Amino acid sequence: MTFQAQADTPQLAALRREVREFVASERPTRSYEYLGGDDPEFSRKLGEKGWIGMCWPRAYGGSERSLLERYVIAEELLVARAPLGFHWIGDRQAGPLLLRYGTEEQKAAILPRIAAGTCRFCIGMSEADSGSDLASVRTKATAVSGGFVLTGAKLWTSGAHRSDFMIALCRTGPRGVSRHEGLSQFLIDLRAPGVECRQIENIARERDFNEVVFHDMFVPANCLVGGLGEGWKQVSDELALERSGPERFLSSFGLLLELLDVLKAQASPAAAREVGRLVAHLATVRHLSRSVAGLLQQGEVPALEAAIVKDIGTNLEQEMCEVVRTLAGVEPDPQAEGLAGSLAQVLWRAPSFTLRGGTREVLRGIIARGVGAR
Ligand SMILES: Cc1cc2nc3c(=O)[nH]c(=O)nc-3n(C[C@H](O)[C@H](O)[C@H](O)COP(=O)(O)OP(=O)(O)OC[C@H]3O[C@@H](n4cnc5c(N)ncnc54)[C@H](O)[C@@H]3O)c2cc1C
């Protein structure tokens, strides 16, 4: 396991300033929704700036910039609580997956659309009874003439009803001894016949989750992503991308900024100490997360390191709510303006921080195995 320090170079610092100026001039909506919610128009503008798919080859709409440059942009936009949901999954994981494993036809057709901010992806991994135990997915893709027929259902699929495509993990063969055999990934056109998105309300009364049902849906053979039966390895690569970014410790960062505004005039030594402790923890997890971006840049698949970032980062995001509530002396109130309203917004979502993208217990199992303690 290797973690390495990465400070802003002058080039990264200049890019950071550019993003701040862009946000100040665009004035996007600010929200505590996951990834600030969806705004296709804002995503399109980011695409025009070359800030989506920015590490990809120019031939596929990218701008061949570094993962650390991507990191700086992501960090600044997340802190601004700008709406990133429309392009995030395509930029973070579906695009890199296609770049690595997709056919030339898939890359040419899809990557430029993601990079332009005009195409939304969702993640088709979880099913009923197959969340943590992902290898047990039961959605079946049966080979037929010219392609596959998909039968089954995905669950908790965020934003599927607003998405153009899903990358779906399906069973295409027997489980084998390791249980990881016989899984394959497919590029699913969610506008094609045979697929149905059923929205599910969450605790915050938002209808972002879906059950996505495949009614014997025909999927052409050219929609298989990577090798038949190679799905487990591919999905493991994806999870390293999904777990290590700044979105895993910045979900409640806005609360800290709001708290500082409230405390400014009246910070007691005890409050200052507590804020200092939180900021020190944030700085540490940010350091870990940036160094994972460095490992990804070198072409490694840092699954263990990503699990550590997500575990520490999401626990910190949750802790932030309680610290803010205690120090500011406010109770959450969804009807209120200011910190009380924001606290209510974040508290509704906080339980999900340590579930989505892999639960706390599952991540700790991965970490234990990774350090040889299991
Ligand atoms: C906000 C949100 C958005 C999501 N978006 C998506 C999405 O877009 N696409 C998608 O595919 N999925 C999505 N998910 C699903 C998410 O990945 C799963 O909820 C998660 O993997 C847990 O699976 P589960 O809900 O089936 O719980 P289970 O796997 O049934 O786990 C229940 C409990 O048992 C514990 N547990 C399970 N196995 C072990 C073990 N081996 N050792 C110790 N404890 C264990 C878990 O930690 C958990 O506390 C989303 C979830 C949330 C909350």
Side-chain angles (χ1 to χ4, degrees), residues 25-37:
S25 71
E26 287 297 326
R27 302 170 64 85
T29 54
R30 293 157 65 83
S31 164
Y32 281 109
E33 277 176 69
Y34 185 47
L35 300 167

Side-chain angles (χ1 to χ4, degrees), residues 102-153:
T103 61
E104 192 47 46
E105 184 192 8
Q106 289 166 349
K107 288 192 260 194
I110 303 290
L111 295 180
R113 290 179 61 191
I114 299 178
T118 56
C119 169
R120 196 191 197 286
F121 265 80
C122 63
I123 305 170
M125 296 188 194
S126 307
E127 298 179 5
D129 303 325
S130 302
S132 305
D133 184 16
L134 196 55
S136 67
V137 293
R138 283 174 297 187
T139 294
K140 209 166 136 190
T142 310
V144 295
S145 169
F148 297 83
V149 169
L150 261 61
T151 317

